[in-house]
Amino acid sequence: MPVSAPPIVTRARAVALDVLRDDALLLEHATRTAAQAAALVRMAPRSQALDVIAAAWLHDIGYAPTLRRTGFHPLDGALFLIGQDWPERVVRLVAHHSLAAMEAPFYGVGHHLGVIEAVPGIDADILISADLRAGTGNPAPTVDMRLEEMSRLDEELGLVPPDVRQARYAGLRSAHERILGLT
């Protein structure tokens, strides 16, 4: 990361490094997601690039045991960010990343997530695409491999019905394809 990174991105990176320091895979994923987001926002002139890159660093911090409040990582991350006075748009992107609202009711937090407005459009799509492109390992998994892994984990957990999972994956793929259309 260049020394001259904008303050919001520098702060987001520092928070991710701190909160995810005990989980090398999540930290690797956050780093890759931020790099992907930084590349993708260059192709989207209407994007609020710095918010998207910051959200990319922060999107999975809710997995950290120290931040767990509800057990639904998008909401747990957003609640932490609210408490740390992060800009509303970054909070909203984290709270709703990867179409979280589709799953939230099955985790018993739909009403809580519902009070945080989603960010529609290109910025949400960039975060989805960056997240899907940023698996862990070498070589990084393809988008199809990431969606298959998400499906397997969701099926094992068994909270979200198959039809909702499939609709969510279709939505994620559609968002990713909209971003591919920019390249």
Side-chain angles (χ1 to χ4, degrees), residues 73-148:
H73 85 274
L75 182 58
D76 290 342
L79 292 172
F80 171 79
L81 295 173
I82 289 168
Q84 298 294 310
D85 293 323
W86 278 84
E88 178 185 349
R89 190 169 174 76
V90 173
V91 170
R92 292 168 53 203
L93 283 163
V94 169
H96 287 278
H97 79 273
S98 296
L99 304 177
M102 294 180 78
E103 292 185 314
F106 304 100
Y107 284 81
V109 296
H111 56 290
H112 296 296
L113 188 63
V115 301
I116 302 173
E117 184 179 348
V119 173
I122 191 77
D123 289 342
D125 286 354
I126 289 170
L127 185 55
I128 287 169
S129 185
D131 189 12
L132 288 176
R133 294 174 189 222
T136 58
N138 193 7
T142 65
V143 168
D144 287 335
M145 291 166 67
R146 290 265 297 133
L147 288 168
E148 287 170 16

Side-chain angles (χ1 to χ4, degrees), residues 20 23-31 57 59-64 136:
L20 300 176
D23 191 325
L25 290 178
L26 269 179
L27 186 54
E28 177 185 355
H29 175 65
T31 302
W57 273 109
H59 76 286
D60 279 347
I61 62 170
Y63 279 123
T136 58

Side-chain angles (χ1 to χ4, degrees), residues 1-11 13 42 50 53 57:
M1 163 146 315
V3 176
S4 62
I8 192 170
V9 174
T10 301
R11 181 180 177 207
R13 179 180 181 270
R42 291 186 199 112
L50 298 180
I53 297 167
W57 273 109

